[in-house]
Amino acid sequence: MDSDITPATLDDQIEMQTVARRGQVYRHLQAAILSGGFPSGHMLPPERELVRRYGVTRDTIRRALRKLTVSGHLTCQPRVGYQVPAVFRGGKPVKTHAIGLIWQDISGLVTDRLLFSEIEQATADIGCALMVGSSGYDGERESETIRRLAAGGMDGLFIAPARGGSRSLELERWIREARPLVLHGHPGRWLLPDALVRRCDMLDADNADGMRQVVELLSGLGHRTAGFVCQESLEGSERFEAFKKCAGQAGLATEPRWWIAAAGATRETGRLALARLRSSGATPTAIVCSHDEIALRFAEAMPEQGLRCPEDISVVGFEGHSLRDDTAAVSLTTVDLHSDRQAQETMRLLAKQLAGVKDQPEHVRVPVSLVIRGSASVPPRRSRNDPASGGAEVVAQSAREHA
């Protein structure tokens, strides 16, 4: 009978006589999980070990493991194995929390999709379900999405807050009610009142330090001039503000005519950004971009206008998704924002709140790292008076204008 299958330890569970019937493998494993024989967070033995201990075929073991995964008793870690999720503690089932993820557009930027996949995995790792919605960064749409997910049982929320439209009354209500919440990004573009923002846990990559690393690289390579191409509006861009500050500190000349809002990341916006830069007169020897997407489009447009990357212009991206894109035409130097670490920190903050811990709000900046690749090199050797060189005269003029 099934009722007598109550192993108390892993050894008790796996050192047993051969299981004669296929269904008993599933029931024995399920009982071991529920009784605490397989502790929360622990990996099951490898399939070959389970085959030997149970005396059945690998197909039988795999069917049982798949069934336990579907029922929620196990999670599958690709290329690692099967793990008992945190939903089982002390041998007893506990409530599974539902985490809401609200973003501009889940099907949009590659980097957002990368972070989404990491959040999905991190949510599963703590035994929670994931609910997903898009806001378009619009306040009214954001409110509607929060209402919909809350009606579906959302317990905690991870959100990149709206930047346009009317205020998100539902998000403001969520904050006032002190419900589990982590805000992603920085407040410069949000519609939320500052008083409410200060109540919240916030998480973002350390954009300022990433930009410091970029500017130090370019300065060390010998660049004296640099421009900035933003995939969105320059207004409220933390990366753009950090670029200007770091460039000034490093003596890297930059001018407003070299600051371009590309309004997207298509091949055409890359062409237009490059054309605007060249029409400005003296062209800087380096371009820093707010995102990898626009950096790639910019670099890809250069050969069409008789330019080479990095021989004529060095290009640096930000966010790091191109590191995982084998199809990119340019080996892009970029700042890796470590989406996996952001996801882990997000779940740590939410798990703490879901457990009822009342601490002071945390403002977490996840460390980033510069990955140097083929798109950044020493500046071209040109005449100091060449109008396209960004040479000494341009540096001197820029210094006077920014004094």
Side-chain angles (χ1 to χ4, degrees), residues 111-127:
T111 304
D112 286 349
R113 289 202 299 271
L114 177 62
L115 179 59
F116 167 70
S117 67
E118 297 288 359
I119 289 290
E120 186 176 32
Q121 183 60 61
T123 304
D125 288 345
I126 66 169

Side-chain angles (χ1 to χ4, degrees), residues 121-136:
Q121 183 60 61
T123 304
D125 288 345
I126 66 169
C128 291
L130 183 64
M131 308 171 74
V132 179
S134 299
S135 68

Side-chain angles (χ1 to χ4, degrees), residues 355-386:
V357 177
K358 302 295 185 182
D359 288 338
Q360 290 297 315
E362 292 188 47
H363 298 169
V364 178
R365 288 286 186 170
V366 176
V368 301
S369 54
L370 178 65
V371 181
I372 303 171
R373 303 168 81 202
S375 68
S377 184
V378 296
R381 292 186 177 181
R382 293 168 175 162
S383 166
R384 291 167 61 88
N385 296 323
D386 184 342

Side-chain angles (χ1 to χ4, degrees), residues 13-21 25 29 38 44-65 82:
Q13 189 276 322
I14 59 180
E15 295 291 349
M16 60 175 61
Q17 63 182 5
T18 299
V19 178
R21 293 188 303 167
V25 176
L29 288 171
F38 293 113
L44 262 64
E47 288 181 4
R48 62 179 179 276
E49 178 66 14
L50 293 175
V51 166
R52 186 184 71 81
R53 301 284 180 119
Y54 280 104
V56 295
T57 67
R58 177 165 287 192
D59 283 345
T60 298
I61 292 296
R62 287 179 174 174
R63 277 192 287 268
L65 295 175
Y82 290 86

Side-chain angles (χ1 to χ4, degrees), residues 336-356:
D336 189 352
L337 302 190
H338 300 299
S339 296
D340 55 341
R341 298 182 193 174
Q342 292 192 52
Q344 292 162 9
E345 280 295 295
T346 299
M347 290 304 111
R348 179 185 67 80
L349 294 170
L350 283 172
K352 176 188 69 174
Q353 296 178 53
L354 289 167

Side-chain angles (χ1 to χ4, degrees), residues 130-202:
L130 183 64
M131 308 171 74
V132 179
S134 299
S135 68
Y137 285 150
D138 177 78
E140 184 175 353
R141 184 176 168 188
E142 180 178 276
S143 282
E144 293 173 356
T145 303
I146 292 174
R147 279 194 295 269
R148 175 170 54 83
L149 297 186
M154 178 174 66
D155 301 297
L157 176 59
F158 180 43
I159 185 170
R163 304 174 182 178
S166 58
R167 288 167 54 183
S168 176
L169 299 181
E170 289 299 322
L171 180 57
E172 293 182 15
R173 180 180 295 112
W174 191 278
I175 296 171
R176 290 192 178 95
E177 293 175 356
R179 304 183 69 178
L181 172 70
V182 176
L183 304 178
H184 183 272
H186 58 97
R189 294 175 171 172
W190 298 344
L191 299 177
L192 285 170
D194 291 342
L196 291 181
V197 170
R198 287 193 292 270
R199 298 187 190 183
C200 303
D201 284 343
M202 291 187 284

